Amino acid sequence: MRFISILLAATFTAASCAVPNDGMAQEAVRAAADPEALFHSNDPALDRNKQAAYHIVKDLLEANHWELADRYLTERYIQHNPNAANGRAAVVSYFTDVRKVKPTPIPAKMQSKVVSVVAENDLVTVAFVREMKDEKDPGRSYTTTWFDMWRFVDGKADEHWDGATLMGR
């Protein structure tokens, strides 16, 4: 059995070396056909948290209605994104004062390309399709996955994680 494991490992390693790593040797990330359906659960607590995550994405992040932040974020909102400080007021200021976003009509349906929504206990993780320009060939782009994860307290996001790095560096 150990021999088979070693043989398989060697085969996968050789196969991965045979594919040119030019940043385009990938399967494209695909969005779910009905992202709204992913934001529901038969468990009432998970459904409440998934619905809050849905509105964070649709109402706050897409439509920039940060005046609604108190509906979906706790006052102490802990931020693990290196570009925004802790606290609901600081996050609102980051989007409205630093990024200078302007509200647009809240869409009937979410516009973001969602891959999956996973809820467990007090956490909800949303994975998104993210299209990026190829730095070596700006005429080409590729897809990757972005995520946001929130920890909820009483139906409001109290803590947030994502894959952000420092802007402008």
Side-chain angles (χ1 to χ4, degrees):
M1 190 63 158
R2 181 162 156 59
F3 174 75
I4 293 172
S5 297
I6 293 169
L7 181 61
L8 285 172
T11 302
F12 287 125
T13 301
S16 67
C17 292
V19 177
N21 189 6
D22 64 358
M24 298 300 152
Q26 71 167 76
E27 182 68 29
V29 179
R30 306 245 185 260
D34 183 9
E36 282 79 14
L38 302 175
F39 288 90
H40 289 286
S41 174
N42 291 332
D43 178 306
L46 296 180
D47 191 67
R48 179 181 182 189
N49 292 345
K50 281 183 160 190
Q51 281 296 292
Y54 175 79
H55 287 285
I56 290 169
V57 174
K58 187 170 77 72
D59 301 357
L60 303 183
L61 296 171
E62 287 184 357
N64 300 308
H65 279 271
W66 289 96
E67 76 279 6
L68 303 176
D70 63 332
R71 292 185 189 177
Y72 309 113
L73 310 178
T74 65
E75 187 175 343
R76 80 174 201 136
Y77 191 69
I78 299 167
Q79 183 62 272
H80 297 288
N81 177 314
N83 298 299
N86 288 338
R88 180 176 60 219
V91 172
V92 170
S93 176
Y94 169 73
F95 282 99
T96 59
D97 299 332
V98 175
R99 296 198 53 199
K100 303 206 182 292
V101 300
K102 300 294 181 205
T104 60
I106 297 173
K109 291 190 170 219
M110 170 183 287
Q111 305 301 303
S112 295
K113 296 176 181 177
V114 176
V115 175
S116 69
V117 179
V118 178
E120 175 92 18
N121 297 319
D122 59 354
L123 298 172
V124 175
T125 303
V126 181
F128 301 91
V129 176
R130 187 166 188 189
E131 189 168 325
M132 305 289 291
K133 293 289 180 195
D134 182 350
E135 290 181 15
K136 294 179 182 176
D137 182 356
R140 291 178 70 185
S141 62
Y142 63 96
T143 57
T144 188
T145 308
W146 180 262
F147 82 94
D148 280 291
M149 182 169 69
W150 296 274
R151 186 177 57 75
F152 287 87
V153 173
D154 298 326
K156 292 184 178 186
D158 189 59
E159 194 165 7
H160 170 257
W161 297 261
D162 62 18
T165 57
L166 288 172
M167 291 181 358
R169 294 198 178 182

